[in-house]
Amino acid sequence: MEKEIKREFMGKAISLASSNVHSHQGGPFGAVVVKNGEIIGRGSNQVTISNDPTAHAEVVAIRDAARHLKSFDLSGCEIYSSCEPCPMCLGAIYWSRLDKLYYAATKDDAATADFDDSFIYKEFALPKEERSIPSVQMMREDAVKVFEDWIKSDSKIPY
């Protein structure tokens, strides 16, 4: 029974991806966030329709779930994605504290459709000075003072 329910959630994520392709709304990706057997967040790729390079299906579904729960902490939730998440989405999954990730297609399947993340993974492994986007540190002392203020703050909400 549980396996059938999980297949139903994955089917919904894949359906969102398919609908996105056929409606010309964005790329072939869909995701749902589930808590206690109920879908609380839905997302499909909206990068081109919204001109937002971060509007991947998983991020859209996480944002929807966080709005639904009125919380940035999605502990107790799972995400079902039509494809293995890219590095950005995987980071968002960890930051949102989702309990589990289920995915259908692999990153290699995505690469076959010209959604290739291997370049990003290779860039992460390089020293900063060898990456294709220059990374220049500046004004560290000023920025560290802000962290010091945060540490001292009585009104901070840890996350």
Side-chain angles (χ1 to χ4, degrees), residues 70-110:
K70 295 178 176 54
S71 176
F72 55 81
D73 184 345
L74 300 183
S75 297
C77 300
E78 301 174 333
I79 190 166
Y80 293 77
S81 178
S82 66
C83 186
E84 185 176 3
C86 75
M88 176 186 69
C89 292
L90 190 56
I93 289 166
Y94 276 93
W95 274 112
S96 61
R97 297 182 182 94
L98 288 161
D99 288 358
K100 196 165 195 175
L101 159 66
Y102 296 92
Y103 65 92
T106 68
K107 61 184 178 183
D108 296 325
D109 297 324

Side-chain angles (χ1 to χ4, degrees), residues 11-154:
K12 183 61 178 171
I14 293 168
S15 177
L16 286 167
S18 179
S19 294
N20 220 37
V21 170
H22 295 292
S23 67
H24 310 289
Q25 297 295 304
F29 303 95
V32 295
V33 175
V34 174
K35 183 168 186 161
N36 299 326
E38 177 189 346
I39 294 176
I40 60 161
R42 290 173 176 75
S44 56
N45 181 283
Q46 298 176 6
V47 170
T48 57
I49 196 83
S50 67
N51 292 316
D52 178 354
T54 68
H56 290 198
E58 297 89 344
V59 171
V60 173
I62 288 168
R63 290 173 180 165
D64 190 36
R67 274 190 302 274
H68 177 85
L69 293 179
K70 295 178 176 54
S71 176
F72 55 81
D73 184 345
L74 300 183
S75 297
C77 300
E78 301 174 333
I79 190 166
Y80 293 77
S81 178
S82 66
C83 186
E84 185 176 3
C86 75
M88 176 186 69
C89 292
L90 190 56
I93 289 166
Y94 276 93
W95 274 112
S96 61
R97 297 182 182 94
L98 288 161
D99 288 358
K100 196 165 195 175
L101 159 66
Y102 296 92
Y103 65 92
T106 68
K107 61 184 178 183
D108 296 325
D109 297 324
T112 301
D114 291 328
F115 295 95
D116 190 355
D117 299 332
S118 62
F119 168 75
I120 298 170
Y121 285 106
K122 289 175 187 171
E123 285 283 301
F124 286 167
L126 293 173
K128 290 176 192 161
E129 54 278 353
E130 293 180 26
R131 294 179 185 166
S132 63
I133 297 175
S135 179
V136 180
Q137 184 178 22
M138 55 187 286
M139 297 181 65
R140 178 179 179 265
E141 296 79 16
D142 295 335
V144 169
K145 288 177 185 171
V146 177
F147 283 121
E148 291 168 354
D149 290 344
W150 169 260
I151 291 167
K152 295 175 195 170
S153 175
D154 293 330

